[in-house]
Amino acid sequence: MLTIAISKGRIFADSIPLLAAAGIEPAVDPDKSRLLIIGTNRPDVQLLVVRATDVPTYVEYGAADVGSAGKDVLLEYDSDGLYEPLDLNIARCRMMTAARVGYHPAGQRLRVATKYVKIAQRYFAAQGIQAEIIKLYGSMELAPLVGLADCIVDLVDTGNTLKANGLEPRELIMHISSRLIVNKAAMKMKHAQVTEFIGHLSQFVANA
Ligand code: ATP
Ligand code: PRP
């Protein structure tokens, strides 16, 4: 059995053609079902529906053999217990700093609100900027509006979320996309099945 960990929403939607390229069709749409273990047209493949941030945990501990996770999630998870053989080139966006339109902080120490603490710490350290990182779990856009932070570090795609909240994108930290991750033991124990799966996805990504 090949067990694939995947999250609902945009990653799942973008993954349908990738799975199809590997001959896999989910039995139900997880966005329309409450099932967490989903069978497929192939008796030897099943899907686990997990939170996006939990995908690396399921794969590292071997509860799933492979999974699809955003580079943002992987950098925050920060483990060398996973293989990351392929950029799936889906769920593409940018990790950016953002602040209130026209705002320029006056103090010595920048206050930064973010869900992405490690990425933010590394970025500001590399820039030689003293930053106090304030961990939030969502709705980061609010923080600069109410004086909690000078700026935020968040994902940006169209920029509509920032704009709707009177914020503007500032510095690009990195481009983000989803990656295929593989459990290290599964790579050895299920070598044929895993390499065949990676091969189908690689071919699809290369031709996309
Ligand atoms: P969780 O459910 O664990 O809190 P989440 O709500 O961030 O995670 P999604 O919104 O489905 O989960 O995002 C999954 C991944 O998609 C993110 O980790 C990121 O790599 C990417 N992503 C997030 N926002 C966007 C966006 N606006 N456009 C494109 N890709 C995005
Ligand atoms: C993501 C991200 C931003 C938004 C950016 O949120 O956290 O808020 O997308 O996209 P945009 O630049 O196209 O507006 P998401 O839609 O995943 O909502 P959530 O993280 O609050 O679930």
Side-chain angles (χ1 to χ4, degrees), residues 5-63:
I6 201 158
S7 56
K8 288 188 189 191
R10 57 171 61 86
I11 289 193
F12 188 83
D14 289 358
S15 297
I16 298 272
L18 283 162
L19 292 171
I24 300 164
E25 282 170 36
V28 298
D29 177 349
D31 286 312
K32 295 187 185 136
S33 158
R34 303 188 77 85
L35 271 182
L36 299 176
I37 301 178
I38 295 181
T40 70
N41 60 318
R42 283 179 42 177
D44 60 337
V45 180
Q46 65 178 1
L47 307 179
L48 304 186
V49 181
V50 306
R51 286 286 295 263
T53 40
D54 290 335
V55 170
T57 309
Y58 278 83
V59 175
E60 178 166 12
Y61 286 89

Tab-separated table of all heavy atoms in Angstrom, residues 5-63:
chain	number	residue	atom	x	y	z
A	5	ALA	N	-0.119	11.574	2.008
A	5	ALA	CA	-0.720	12.616	2.870
A	5	ALA	C	-0.919	13.878	2.056
A	5	ALA	O	0.000	14.332	1.361
A	5	ALA	CB	0.195	12.902	4.060
A	6	ILE	N	-2.104	14.419	2.148
A	6	ILE	CA	-2.433	15.584	1.324
A	6	ILE	C	-3.411	16.467	2.096
A	6	ILE	O	-4.177	15.968	2.912
A	6	ILE	CB	-3.009	15.095	-0.031
A	6	ILE	CG1	-2.906	16.156	-1.090
A	6	ILE	CG2	-4.395	14.534	0.090
A	6	ILE	CD1	-2.950	15.602	-2.493
A	7	SER	N	-3.350	17.795	1.857
A	7	SER	CA	-4.283	18.675	2.565
A	7	SER	C	-5.422	19.073	1.644
A	7	SER	O	-5.266	19.092	0.426
A	7	SER	CB	-3.548	19.901	3.097
A	7	SER	OG	-2.885	20.566	2.062
A	8	LYS	N	-6.550	19.422	2.266
A	8	LYS	CA	-7.724	19.866	1.495
A	8	LYS	C	-7.422	21.207	0.843
A	8	LYS	O	-6.396	21.812	1.108
A	8	LYS	CB	-8.895	20.086	2.449
A	8	LYS	CG	-9.512	18.852	3.025
A	8	LYS	CD	-10.759	19.281	3.767
A	8	LYS	CE	-11.346	18.141	4.564
A	8	LYS	NZ	-12.666	18.453	5.083
A	9	GLY	N	-8.362	21.716	0.084
A	9	GLY	CA	-8.229	23.080	-0.443
A	9	GLY	C	-7.328	23.165	-1.649
A	9	GLY	O	-7.327	22.269	-2.490
A	10	ARG	N	-6.512	24.252	-1.695
A	10	ARG	CA	-5.784	24.539	-2.934
A	10	ARG	C	-4.776	23.456	-3.296
A	10	ARG	O	-4.621	23.135	-4.475
A	10	ARG	CB	-5.107	25.906	-2.894
A	10	ARG	CG	-4.157	26.135	-1.763
A	10	ARG	CD	-3.408	27.435	-1.962
A	10	ARG	NE	-4.266	28.603	-1.999
A	10	ARG	CZ	-4.672	29.280	-0.920
A	10	ARG	NH1	-4.291	28.887	0.274
A	10	ARG	NH2	-5.430	30.335	-1.027
A	11	ILE	N	-4.108	22.865	-2.300
A	11	ILE	CA	-3.116	21.839	-2.643
A	11	ILE	C	-3.820	20.624	-3.235
A	11	ILE	O	-3.376	20.076	-4.247
A	11	ILE	CB	-2.237	21.447	-1.432
A	11	ILE	CG1	-1.300	22.622	-1.106
A	11	ILE	CG2	-1.453	20.167	-1.708
A	11	ILE	CD1	-0.166	22.320	-0.169
A	12	PHE	N	-4.946	20.247	-2.648
A	12	PHE	CA	-5.660	19.082	-3.186
A	12	PHE	C	-6.149	19.373	-4.606
A	12	PHE	O	-5.955	18.561	-5.523
A	12	PHE	CB	-6.834	18.678	-2.299
A	12	PHE	CG	-7.427	17.382	-2.755
A	12	PHE	CD1	-6.872	16.186	-2.359
A	12	PHE	CD2	-8.504	17.370	-3.643
A	12	PHE	CE1	-7.372	14.978	-2.820
A	12	PHE	CE2	-9.015	16.157	-4.105
A	12	PHE	CZ	-8.454	14.967	-3.691
A	13	ALA	N	-6.758	20.535	-4.777
A	13	ALA	CA	-7.288	20.892	-6.108
A	13	ALA	C	-6.170	20.834	-7.162
A	13	ALA	O	-6.357	20.252	-8.241
A	13	ALA	CB	-7.897	22.287	-6.053
A	14	ASP	N	-5.027	21.411	-6.835
A	14	ASP	CA	-3.909	21.428	-7.789
A	14	ASP	C	-3.266	20.052	-7.966
A	14	ASP	O	-2.527	19.823	-8.926
A	14	ASP	CB	-2.824	22.419	-7.322
A	14	ASP	CG	-3.267	23.872	-7.470
A	14	ASP	OD1	-4.383	24.103	-7.962
A	14	ASP	OD2	-2.483	24.769	-7.081
A	15	SER	N	-3.523	19.149	-7.005
A	15	SER	CA	-2.879	17.827	-7.062
A	15	SER	C	-3.639	16.819	-7.914
A	15	SER	O	-3.069	15.786	-8.295
A	15	SER	CB	-2.743	17.236	-5.652
A	15	SER	OG	-1.904	18.038	-4.879
A	16	ILE	N	-4.904	17.096	-8.202
A	16	ILE	CA	-5.725	16.130	-8.959
A	16	ILE	C	-5.052	15.725	-10.276
A	16	ILE	O	-4.909	14.529	-10.557
A	16	ILE	CB	-7.149	16.695	-9.236
A	16	ILE	CG1	-7.875	16.950	-7.915
A	16	ILE	CG2	-7.951	15.806	-10.163
A	16	ILE	CD1	-8.628	15.787	-7.357
A	17	PRO	N	-4.591	16.705	-11.099
A	17	PRO	CA	-3.937	16.299	-12.346
A	17	PRO	C	-2.637	15.530	-12.125
A	17	PRO	O	-2.297	14.635	-12.904
A	17	PRO	CB	-3.636	17.631	-13.054
A	17	PRO	CG	-4.391	18.681	-12.325
A	17	PRO	CD	-4.706	18.168	-10.972
A	18	LEU	N	-1.918	15.865	-11.036
A	18	LEU	CA	-0.669	15.150	-10.727
A	18	LEU	C	-0.966	13.701	-10.370
A	18	LEU	O	-0.298	12.772	-10.839
A	18	LEU	CB	0.032	15.821	-9.546
A	18	LEU	CG	0.784	17.113	-9.847
A	18	LEU	CD1	1.033	17.893	-8.569
A	18	LEU	CD2	2.103	16.801	-10.523
A	19	LEU	N	-1.997	13.503	-9.537
A	19	LEU	CA	-2.372	12.140	-9.162
A	19	LEU	C	-2.847	11.374	-10.393
A	19	LEU	O	-2.498	10.205	-10.586
A	19	LEU	CB	-3.476	12.170	-8.086
A	19	LEU	CG	-3.065	12.695	-6.709
A	19	LEU	CD1	-4.284	12.876	-5.808
A	19	LEU	CD2	-2.068	11.749	-6.033
A	20	ALA	N	-3.611	12.066	-11.237
A	20	ALA	CA	-4.118	11.419	-12.462
A	20	ALA	C	-2.954	10.955	-13.337
A	20	ALA	O	-3.003	9.872	-13.941
A	20	ALA	CB	-5.023	12.380	-13.225
A	21	ALA	N	-1.885	11.759	-13.366
A	21	ALA	CA	-0.710	11.388	-14.176
A	21	ALA	C	-0.068	10.108	-13.647
A	21	ALA	O	0.603	9.384	-14.392
A	21	ALA	CB	0.299	12.530	-14.168
A	22	ALA	N	-0.272	9.850	-12.348
A	22	ALA	CA	0.265	8.618	-11.767
A	22	ALA	C	-0.802	7.511	-11.757
A	22	ALA	O	-0.625	6.480	-11.096
A	22	ALA	CB	0.745	8.888	-10.344
A	23	GLY	N	-1.921	7.751	-12.459
A	23	GLY	CA	-2.979	6.743	-12.587
A	23	GLY	C	-3.836	6.625	-11.334
A	23	GLY	O	-4.461	5.592	-11.093
A	24	ILE	N	-3.875	7.706	-10.529
A	24	ILE	CA	-4.604	7.650	-9.255
A	24	ILE	C	-5.799	8.609	-9.278
A	24	ILE	O	-5.639	9.800	-9.534
A	24	ILE	CB	-3.664	8.033	-8.082
A	24	ILE	CG1	-2.479	7.054	-8.006
A	24	ILE	CG2	-4.416	8.080	-6.764
A	24	ILE	CD1	-1.319	7.544	-7.159
A	25	GLU	N	-6.983	8.061	-9.004
A	25	GLU	CA	-8.189	8.892	-8.911
A	25	GLU	C	-8.814	8.697	-7.538
A	25	GLU	O	-9.219	7.585	-7.194
A	25	GLU	CB	-9.210	8.461	-9.972
A	25	GLU	CG	-8.890	8.977	-11.349
A	25	GLU	CD	-9.796	8.323	-12.400
A	25	GLU	OE1	-10.983	8.067	-12.083
A	25	GLU	OE2	-9.287	8.050	-13.494
A	26	PRO	N	-8.897	9.761	-6.726
A	26	PRO	CA	-9.509	9.630	-5.398
A	26	PRO	C	-10.974	9.206	-5.521
A	26	PRO	O	-11.679	9.641	-6.431
A	26	PRO	CB	-9.411	11.045	-4.821
A	26	PRO	CG	-8.363	11.731	-5.634
A	26	PRO	CD	-8.402	11.115	-7.001
A	27	ALA	N	-11.426	8.378	-4.573
A	27	ALA	CA	-12.807	7.869	-4.622
A	27	ALA	C	-13.808	8.976	-4.298
A	27	ALA	O	-14.934	8.949	-4.786
A	27	ALA	CB	-12.954	6.713	-3.637
A	28	VAL	N	-13.406	9.931	-3.437
A	28	VAL	CA	-14.291	11.065	-3.112
A	28	VAL	C	-13.468	12.348	-3.104
A	28	VAL	O	-12.248	12.312	-2.998
A	28	VAL	CB	-14.990	10.905	-1.733
A	28	VAL	CG1	-15.888	9.705	-1.693
A	28	VAL	CG2	-13.971	10.848	-0.604
A	29	ASP	N	-14.169	13.481	-3.180
A	29	ASP	CA	-13.526	14.787	-3.093
A	29	ASP	C	-13.470	15.185	-1.615
A	29	ASP	O	-14.516	15.360	-0.991
A	29	ASP	CB	-14.361	15.796	-3.905
A	29	ASP	CG	-13.811	17.212	-3.808
A	29	ASP	OD1	-12.923	17.458	-2.971
A	29	ASP	OD2	-14.293	18.068	-4.579
A	30	PRO	N	-12.266	15.331	-1.036
A	30	PRO	CA	-12.180	15.621	0.401
A	30	PRO	C	-12.819	16.943	0.791
A	30	PRO	O	-13.203	17.135	1.945
A	30	PRO	CB	-10.678	15.648	0.676
A	30	PRO	CG	-10.019	15.776	-0.630
A	30	PRO	CD	-10.946	15.226	-1.656
A	31	ASP	N	-12.948	17.871	-0.189
A	31	ASP	CA	-13.593	19.144	0.129
A	31	ASP	C	-15.106	18.980	0.263
A	31	ASP	O	-15.794	19.881	0.734
A	31	ASP	CB	-13.249	20.191	-0.937
A	31	ASP	CG	-11.815	20.676	-0.769
A	31	ASP	OD1	-11.431	21.006	0.368
A	31	ASP	OD2	-11.069	20.685	-1.759
A	32	LYS	N	-15.621	17.817	-0.180
A	32	LYS	CA	-17.067	17.582	-0.084
A	32	LYS	C	-17.379	16.435	0.862
A	32	LYS	O	-18.520	15.973	0.914
A	32	LYS	CB	-17.629	17.272	-1.474
A	32	LYS	CG	-17.512	18.460	-2.426
A	32	LYS	CD	-18.218	18.181	-3.731
A	32	LYS	CE	-17.998	19.316	-4.713
A	32	LYS	NZ	-17.685	18.856	-6.057
A	33	SER	N	-16.360	15.935	1.536
A	33	SER	CA	-16.562	14.756	2.377
A	33	SER	C	-15.866	14.967	3.710
A	33	SER	O	-14.949	15.778	3.823
A	33	SER	CB	-15.952	13.543	1.660
A	33	SER	OG	-15.663	12.520	2.563
A	34	ARG	N	-16.297	14.247	4.730
A	34	ARG	CA	-15.639	14.347	6.029
A	34	ARG	C	-14.688	13.177	6.247
A	34	ARG	O	-14.072	13.059	7.295
A	34	ARG	CB	-16.676	14.417	7.151
A	34	ARG	CG	-17.636	15.582	6.977
A	34	ARG	CD	-18.535	15.769	8.158
A	34	ARG	NE	-17.849	16.408	9.269
A	34	ARG	CZ	-17.718	17.722	9.407
A	34	ARG	NH1	-18.223	18.533	8.510
A	34	ARG	NH2	-17.088	18.225	10.442
A	35	LEU	N	-14.569	12.305	5.237
A	35	LEU	CA	-13.665	11.163	5.352
A	35	LEU	C	-12.220	11.634	5.433
A	35	LEU	O	-11.815	12.538	4.704
A	35	LEU	CB	-13.793	10.281	4.105
A	35	LEU	CG	-14.829	9.168	4.075
A	35	LEU	CD1	-14.728	8.419	2.752
A	35	LEU	CD2	-14.618	8.217	5.249
A	36	LEU	N	-11.439	10.995	6.279
A	36	LEU	CA	-10.026	11.373	6.420
A	36	LEU	C	-9.082	10.353	5.775
A	36	LEU	O	-7.926	10.657	5.509
A	36	LEU	CB	-9.671	11.563	7.905
A	36	LEU	CG	-10.479	12.669	8.603
A	36	LEU	CD1	-10.150	12.720	10.086
A	36	LEU	CD2	-10.232	14.030	7.951
A	37	ILE	N	-9.595	9.149	5.545
A	37	ILE	CA	-8.827	8.158	4.785
A	37	ILE	C	-9.639	7.881	3.526
A	37	ILE	O	-10.783	7.418	3.609
A	37	ILE	CB	-8.608	6.848	5.575
A	37	ILE	CG1	-7.869	7.134	6.888
A	37	ILE	CG2	-7.825	5.841	4.730
A	37	ILE	CD1	-7.640	5.897	7.763
A	38	ILE	N	-9.061	8.221	2.395
A	38	ILE	CA	-9.812	8.131	1.140
A	38	ILE	C	-9.179	7.084	0.236
A	38	ILE	O	-7.973	7.145	-0.047
A	38	ILE	CB	-9.824	9.514	0.447
A	38	ILE	CG1	-10.596	10.509	1.320
A	38	ILE	CG2	-10.436	9.431	-0.941
A	38	ILE	CD1	-10.691	11.894	0.720
A	39	GLY	N	-10.009	6.166	-0.215
A	39	GLY	CA	-9.525	5.160	-1.154
A	39	GLY	C	-9.383	5.763	-2.539
A	39	GLY	O	-9.772	6.914	-2.781
A	40	THR	N	-8.804	5.003	-3.431
A	40	THR	CA	-8.635	5.465	-4.809
A	40	THR	C	-9.056	4.351	-5.765
A	40	THR	O	-9.404	3.246	-5.326
A	40	THR	CB	-7.164	5.848	-5.109
A	40	THR	OG1	-6.380	4.646	-5.143
A	40	THR	CG2	-6.609	6.803	-4.069
A	41	ASN	N	-8.975	4.632	-7.052
A	41	ASN	CA	-9.276	3.610	-8.056
A	41	ASN	C	-8.259	2.475	-7.994
A	41	ASN	O	-8.485	1.404	-8.541
A	41	ASN	CB	-9.276	4.236	-9.453
A	41	ASN	CG	-7.930	4.855	-9.791
A	41	ASN	OD1	-7.319	5.510	-8.940
A	41	ASN	ND2	-7.461	4.653	-10.996
A	42	ARG	N	-7.112	2.745	-7.326
A	42	ARG	CA	-6.088	1.699	-7.216
A	42	ARG	C	-6.101	1.097	-5.819
A	42	ARG	O	-5.957	1.804	-4.834
A	42	ARG	CB	-4.712	2.304	-7.530
A	42	ARG	CG	-4.543	2.497	-9.036
A	42	ARG	CD	-3.231	3.097	-9.398
A	42	ARG	NE	-2.113	2.543	-8.650
A	42	ARG	CZ	-0.856	2.905	-8.861
A	42	ARG	NH1	-0.559	3.796	-9.792
A	42	ARG	NH2	0.121	2.375	-8.177
A	43	PRO	N	-6.272	-0.219	-5.741
A	43	PRO	CA	-6.364	-0.864	-4.418
A	43	PRO	C	-5.089	-0.704	-3.598
A	43	PRO	O	-5.122	-0.872	-2.383
A	43	PRO	CB	-6.633	-2.332	-4.756
A	43	PRO	CG	-6.318	-2.501	-6.207
A	43	PRO	CD	-6.439	-1.164	-6.860
A	44	ASP	N	-3.973	-0.362	-4.261
A	44	ASP	CA	-2.698	-0.254	-3.540
A	44	ASP	C	-2.343	1.199	-3.181
A	44	ASP	O	-1.215	1.478	-2.781
A	44	ASP	CB	-1.560	-0.860	-4.379
A	44	ASP	CG	-1.396	-0.149	-5.724
A	44	ASP	OD1	-2.379	0.471	-6.201
A	44	ASP	OD2	-0.290	-0.189	-6.280
A	45	VAL	N	-3.302	2.128	-3.337
A	45	VAL	CA	-3.018	3.537	-3.014
A	45	VAL	C	-4.160	4.131	-2.194
A	45	VAL	O	-5.329	3.986	-2.555
A	45	VAL	CB	-2.834	4.381	-4.310
A	45	VAL	CG1	-2.536	5.837	-3.955
A	45	VAL	CG2	-1.713	3.818	-5.190
A	46	GLN	N	-3.818	4.796	-1.079
A	46	GLN	CA	-4.830	5.519	-0.297
A	46	GLN	C	-4.316	6.916	0.043
A	46	GLN	O	-3.108	7.170	0.032
A	46	GLN	CB	-5.188	4.746	0.977
A	46	GLN	CG	-4.045	4.626	1.965
A	46	GLN	CD	-4.435	3.894	3.244
A	46	GLN	OE1	-5.575	3.453	3.399
A	46	GLN	NE2	-3.495	3.756	4.171
A	47	LEU	N	-5.267	7.814	0.338
A	47	LEU	CA	-4.926	9.195	0.677
A	47	LEU	C	-5.305	9.479	2.126
A	47	LEU	O	-6.373	9.043	2.576
A	47	LEU	CB	-5.689	10.180	-0.222
A	47	LEU	CG	-5.593	9.993	-1.735
A	47	LEU	CD1	-6.440	11.065	-2.434
A	47	LEU	CD2	-4.152	10.095	-2.205
A	48	LEU	N	-4.448	10.200	2.831
A	48	LEU	CA	-4.789	10.697	4.171
A	48	LEU	C	-5.034	12.189	4.044
A	48	LEU	O	-4.185	12.911	3.514
A	48	LEU	CB	-3.641	10.477	5.163
A	48	LEU	CG	-3.111	9.059	5.346
A	48	LEU	CD1	-2.089	9.041	6.483
A	48	LEU	CD2	-4.241	8.071	5.633
A	49	VAL	N	-6.173	12.658	4.539
A	49	VAL	CA	-6.497	14.080	4.459
A	49	VAL	C	-6.084	14.728	5.777
A	49	VAL	O	-6.670	14.456	6.826
A	49	VAL	CB	-8.005	14.280	4.202
A	49	VAL	CG1	-8.331	15.757	4.103
A	49	VAL	CG2	-8.423	13.539	2.934
A	50	VAL	N	-5.034	15.558	5.728
A	50	VAL	CA	-4.500	16.157	6.957
A	50	VAL	C	-4.356	17.670	6.786
A	50	VAL	O	-4.390	18.183	5.666
A	50	VAL	CB	-3.138	15.513	7.354
A	50	VAL	CG1	-3.264	14.001	7.456
A	50	VAL	CG2	-2.027	15.872	6.381
A	51	ARG	N	-4.184	18.401	7.896
A	51	ARG	CA	-3.929	19.835	7.832
A	51	ARG	C	-2.615	20.062	7.081
A	51	ARG	O	-1.662	19.294	7.236
A	51	ARG	CB	-3.782	20.418	9.248
A	51	ARG	CG	-5.079	20.534	10.018
A	51	ARG	CD	-5.960	21.660	9.524
A	51	ARG	NE	-5.377	22.979	9.731
A	51	ARG	CZ	-5.650	23.781	10.749
A	51	ARG	NH1	-6.481	23.390	11.678
A	51	ARG	NH2	-5.107	24.979	10.825
A	52	ALA	N	-2.558	21.155	6.311
A	52	ALA	CA	-1.355	21.440	5.507
A	52	ALA	C	-0.095	21.409	6.371
A	52	ALA	O	0.936	20.853	5.969
A	52	ALA	CB	-1.510	22.799	4.831
A	53	THR	N	-0.182	21.977	7.565
A	53	THR	CA	1.003	22.048	8.435
A	53	THR	C	1.360	20.695	9.057
A	53	THR	O	2.450	20.546	9.604
A	53	THR	CB	0.777	23.074	9.575
A	53	THR	OG1	-0.569	22.932	10.039
A	53	THR	CG2	0.992	24.482	9.096
A	54	ASP	N	0.442	19.733	8.982
A	54	ASP	CA	0.713	18.410	9.566
A	54	ASP	C	1.275	17.406	8.558
A	54	ASP	O	1.708	16.317	8.952
A	54	ASP	CB	-0.580	17.831	10.169
A	54	ASP	CG	-1.030	18.571	11.426
A	54	ASP	OD1	-0.173	19.178	12.096
A	54	ASP	OD2	-2.236	18.545	11.725
A	55	VAL	N	1.297	17.755	7.275
A	55	VAL	CA	1.760	16.797	6.255
A	55	VAL	C	3.188	16.291	6.563
A	55	VAL	O	3.422	15.072	6.566
A	55	VAL	CB	1.664	17.387	4.828
A	55	VAL	CG1	2.365	16.493	3.808
A	55	VAL	CG2	0.195	17.568	4.421
A	56	PRO	N	4.169	17.176	6.883
A	56	PRO	CA	5.523	16.656	7.156
A	56	PRO	C	5.571	15.710	8.354
A	56	PRO	O	6.350	14.749	8.351
A	56	PRO	CB	6.341	17.922	7.450
A	56	PRO	CG	5.565	19.053	6.904
A	56	PRO	CD	4.119	18.646	6.949
A	57	THR	N	4.740	15.945	9.347
A	57	THR	CA	4.722	15.073	10.536
A	57	THR	C	4.269	13.664	10.160
A	57	THR	O	4.905	12.671	10.538
A	57	THR	CB	3.769	15.659	11.609
A	57	THR	OG1	4.114	17.025	11.818
A	57	THR	CG2	3.846	14.881	12.903
A	58	TYR	N	3.176	13.565	9.401
A	58	TYR	CA	2.677	12.244	8.987
A	58	TYR	C	3.725	11.503	8.151
A	58	TYR	O	3.888	10.293	8.287
A	58	TYR	CB	1.364	12.378	8.192
A	58	TYR	CG	0.154	12.514	9.093
A	58	TYR	CD1	-0.204	13.750	9.619
A	58	TYR	CD2	-0.614	11.411	9.442
A	58	TYR	CE1	-1.293	13.890	10.463
A	58	TYR	CE2	-1.716	11.536	10.281
A	58	TYR	CZ	-2.046	12.777	10.792
A	58	TYR	OH	-3.117	12.899	11.632
A	59	VAL	N	4.422	12.252	7.302
A	59	VAL	CA	5.396	11.596	6.414
A	59	VAL	C	6.673	11.242	7.186
A	59	VAL	O	7.191	10.135	7.054
A	59	VAL	CB	5.699	12.471	5.176
A	59	VAL	CG1	6.790	11.838	4.326
A	59	VAL	CG2	4.429	12.667	4.344
A	60	GLU	N	7.162	12.146	8.022
A	60	GLU	CA	8.410	11.840	8.745
A	60	GLU	C	8.244	10.612	9.633
A	60	GLU	O	9.130	9.768	9.719
A	60	GLU	CB	8.870	13.033	9.591
A	60	GLU	CG	10.132	12.661	10.369
A	60	GLU	CD	10.883	13.817	10.988
A	60	GLU	OE1	10.350	14.931	11.036
A	60	GLU	OE2	12.022	13.576	11.423
A	61	TYR	N	7.079	10.492	10.295
A	61	TYR	CA	6.871	9.362	11.214
A	61	TYR	C	6.392	8.102	10.502
A	61	TYR	O	6.146	7.089	11.135
A	61	TYR	CB	5.912	9.770	12.339
A	61	TYR	CG	6.598	10.696	13.326
A	61	TYR	CD1	6.583	12.068	13.141
A	61	TYR	CD2	7.302	10.181	14.407
A	61	TYR	CE1	7.240	12.916	14.022
A	61	TYR	CE2	7.967	11.014	15.293
A	61	TYR	CZ	7.923	12.389	15.102
A	61	TYR	OH	8.582	13.216	15.970
A	62	GLY	N	6.217	8.168	9.186
A	62	GLY	CA	5.899	6.969	8.421
A	62	GLY	C	4.432	6.598	8.401
A	62	GLY	O	4.068	5.536	7.897
A	63	ALA	N	3.557	7.456	8.964
A	63	ALA	CA	2.115	7.196	8.894
A	63	ALA	C	1.662	7.339	7.441
A	63	ALA	O	0.680	6.731	7.016
A	63	ALA	CB	1.350	8.161	9.787
